[in-house]
Amino acid sequence: MKRRSFLAATAGTSAALALGSPSMASARGLDTEAQLRRWFADTYRSLEAMVPESGLPADNINLGGDKPVLTENTSTTNIGCWMWSTVAAAGLGVITEREMQRRLTRTITTVEKLERFHGFWVNWYNTFTGEVLREWPGSGAKVNLLLSTVDNAWLDVGLRIAEDAAEPALAARIRKLRAGIDWSFFYNAYDAADPVAHPGLMHTGFKVEENTLTPYHYGALVSETRMAGYLAITDGTAPTSHYWHMLRTFAPDQKQEMPPKGEWVTRDGVRYFNGHYTYRGRNVVPGWGGDMFGQLMPELFVPSAKLSSSWRTTLTHHVLGQRDHGLIDTEYGYWGFSPCNVPEGGYQEYGVQFLGISPEGYCSNTDRTYVPYGEPMPDPSAYTNGVVTPHAGAMALMIRPKDAMDNLRRIARDFDSYEDGMGFYDSVNVSTGKVSDRMLSLDQGMAAAAFAQVLKPGLLQRPFLRGAGARRLNTTLAKEDFGL
């Protein structure tokens, strides 16, 4: 596919709208609203193109050849993305209410037939048939059947949003599907006598063929994996204390990206280290790898920044850190770092190492320019093959709308990274101008939800704001004080 040559960008910063403002579109004017609506509509069209008659979205679509090619594999997360994007499309008038019901019905009809274990779904299914994927298409390599905690969380999110929007008969079918979901299956209750073996956290998953839970747990609070804990607290299948057992940073004596600042505190009977990092003079609670995906994906559905000024501060500082890394540390001229398709092929985690707990750190470039703590920053020229992804920039619209909008417009303008009628390609190598030839269901689904959130705040958040379970979660979030 022919790509435009790219221009040297001049990247500036400017004052942003206040977080939680009623609408970015109303604050910036009709041209911005029209731009966002176009981006949403085109992004949704790319998701439509990934959905065959089964109603299950392909994991990704390859647009680099003579005709689009769908992958034979889909995931639980992909299915959730399709459902919430379809509800958003109706809410924004891109499709009719009747068409939304038809599409949701088709997808739910297939989901009802998917093989489940212990009430949950395995990671991979065949896009076209819905059969459990046991061999990888092409290679024939064995697929290890895993009930991924976080991936099932995103399917559950999609089901809850679909149920909220569905007509009564379909809503009843979705409730029946969800009745089999019990988040206590993954929860490892806290035991003060052995907190290492029983830390009050969620196991990362369940190995179906070995009939055992994984030995690992999701620990980092400011990660996309926190969504499973949110759902469990909402359902009452995990106590609110689970939230306080999740890690802000590791304890000071543990190996991590940098020595944390903070203090030991006790909240609701749980003693934990209320830690944070400092990057470019701003205090921030790190995620796992310093990527935008982990920080902001749950915010699309559970508005913690509106419930807690501390959540608002750390998310703002994360976005500003991503911005400054892209514009100052590396002089890429663009920003928005998150796991994505590598423009040259494959998949890789991208992020800002100083915003993540992991001692290895995610890096913002394919060549992984890593700076050990305490060493001086290298010259920006050291960051070769830097990669930005539009879905990360789209989620930043919720936090720093002016900065994020300017960044996305530059990415669209300076690279051949936007396909009319399909939206943004997955990633761009800003060092060479190479653009990914793929669009991923997950990343398009995050971008669609982000555009919908700024166009019509709260559109996808209703299931997480109403009822006793939502009040229990939101009351817990409102207590958060990161000590920043």
Side-chain angles (χ1 to χ4, degrees):
M1 186 170 288
K2 185 178 180 181
R3 304 289 183 189
R4 292 194 300 268
S5 59
F6 65 101
L7 309 174
T10 56
T13 61
S14 54
L17 301 172
L19 183 65
S21 59
S23 168
M24 177 181 176
S26 63
R28 291 294 316 279
L30 184 59
D31 65 325
T32 294
E33 179 173 4
Q35 179 80 83
L36 287 168
R37 287 187 175 277
R38 177 196 170 208
W39 284 348
F40 174 85
D42 285 355
T43 300
Y44 186 68
R45 298 306 178 202
S46 73
L47 288 162
E48 285 180 326
M50 294 188 223
V51 180
E53 285 303 309
S54 67
L56 304 181
D59 184 69
N60 66 79
I61 185 171
N62 186 338
L63 299 171
D66 295 332
K67 61 180 181 178
V69 178
L70 304 182
T71 59
E72 294 181 38
N73 57 298
T74 188
S75 75
T76 47
T77 294
N78 298 154
I79 300 167
C81 287
W82 168 242
M83 288 190 288
W84 73 57
S85 298
T86 295
V87 172
L92 294 173
V94 173
I95 62 175
T96 65
E97 176 79 13
R98 182 177 180 180
E99 182 61 18
M100 177 193 75
Q101 300 292 343
R102 189 189 73 81
R103 293 182 181 194
L104 291 177
T105 298
R106 182 178 65 173
T107 298
I108 293 301
T109 298
T110 301
V111 172
E112 288 170 330
K113 300 173 185 175
L114 298 181
E115 188 174 2
R116 300 166 72 174
F117 303 84
H118 301 284
F120 292 94
W121 291 268
V122 296
N123 257 22
W124 298 107
Y125 293 90
N126 183 288
T127 303
F128 303 96
T129 68
E131 294 176 324
V132 170
L133 201 67
R134 299 180 184 275
E135 293 183 353
W136 284 110
S139 71
K142 182 178 181 295
V143 175
N144 295 316
L145 302 187
L146 176 71
L147 309 180
S148 164
T149 306
V150 68
D151 288 290
N152 272 282
W154 295 121
L155 177 53
D156 193 12
V157 167
L159 288 169
R160 293 180 193 220
I161 291 170
E163 180 186 339
D164 182 69
E167 58 190 11
L170 180 58
R173 290 168 61 185
I174 298 172
R175 279 194 297 275
K176 184 177 179 181
L177 270 174
R178 291 196 56 254
I181 299 173
D182 179 358
W183 288 104
S184 67
F185 177 75
F186 294 111
Y187 177 64
N188 190 343
Y190 181 72
D191 183 353
D194 192 358
V196 174
H198 304 285
L201 299 172
M202 291 281 183
H203 286 274
T204 59
F206 180 88
K207 299 177 181 179
V208 174
E209 291 145 320
E210 298 177 26
N211 196 34
T212 184
L213 290 160
T214 61
Y216 307 109
H217 298 86
Y218 286 131
L221 171 63
V222 189
S223 164
E224 76 280 2
T225 59
R226 69 184 182 270
M227 196 68 210
Y230 285 178
L231 297 174
I233 291 170
T234 299
D235 288 351
T237 52
T240 56
S241 60
H242 166 59
Y243 176 84
W244 305 109
H245 282 297
M246 286 189 273
L247 304 174
R248 280 70 183 159
T249 64
F250 290 134
D253 61 346
Q254 293 179 289
K255 184 180 179 181
Q256 53 192 300
E257 176 60 35
M258 66 176 72
K261 301 174 184 177
E263 60 182 352
W264 289 92
V265 299
T266 299
R267 177 81 66 177
D268 291 350
V270 178
R271 186 172 184 266
Y272 64 94
F273 186 69
N274 201 24
H276 61 267
Y277 290 169
T278 300
Y279 171 54
R280 290 201 154 271
R282 303 184 191 100
N283 294 335
V284 60
V285 180
W288 177 249
D291 56 286
M292 198 82 82
F293 164 30
Q295 291 270 342
L296 291 181
M297 190 175 179
E299 193 70 15
L300 296 166
F301 310 103
V302 178
S304 57
K306 292 183 179 179
L307 299 166
S308 162
S309 61
S310 291
W311 266 109
R312 174 175 174 169
T313 297
T314 193
L315 294 179
T316 300
H317 287 179
H318 180 91
V319 171
L320 290 173
Q322 286 237 345
R323 182 199 68 182
D324 289 354
H325 180 72
L327 304 185
I328 301 172
D329 292 349
T330 64
E331 295 184 359
Y332 293 146
Y334 315 86
W335 53 278
F337 310 102
S338 208
C340 61
N341 179 247
V342 180
E344 292 76 19
Y347 190 85
Q348 184 170 319
E349 294 86 2
Y350 296 94
V352 179
Q353 65 169 91
F354 316 105
L355 301 173
I357 301 174
S358 172
E360 288 78 25
Y362 292 175
C363 297
S364 63
N365 59 335
T366 302
D367 298 332
R368 293 188 54 79
T369 301
Y370 181 79
V371 184
Y373 177 77
E375 293 191 7
M377 290 294 293
D379 186 84
S381 63
Y383 288 91
T384 51
N385 292 306
V387 173
V388 299
T389 181
H391 80 261
M395 287 191 290
L397 287 164
M398 297 184 293
I399 308 299
R400 295 284 294 191
K402 173 62 167 61
D403 289 339
M405 193 72 185
D406 290 346
N407 179 54
L408 285 171
R409 281 173 164 158
R410 288 197 307 273
I411 292 172
R413 179 197 70 196
D414 297 346
F415 306 92
D416 193 10
S417 60
Y418 193 91
E419 186 78 21
D420 288 337
M422 293 286 279
F424 284 98
Y425 285 91
D426 199 55
S427 61
V428 180
N429 182 327
V430 297
S431 302
T432 66
K434 173 72 173 176
V435 177
S436 168
D437 57 11
R438 293 180 184 267
M439 295 178 180
L440 277 59
S441 282
L442 168 60
D443 296 351
Q444 297 299 84
M446 284 189 279
F451 296 142
Q453 174 60 18
V454 292
L455 284 165
K456 195 171 182 179
L459 175 61
L460 299 178
Q461 295 176 342
R462 290 182 306 192
F464 309 97
L465 295 175
R466 299 181 300 187
R471 287 194 294 272
R472 181 167 51 248
L473 172 63
N474 294 340
T475 298
T476 301
L477 293 173
K479 295 178 182 179
E480 182 60 78
D481 177 8
F482 290 125
L484 302 178

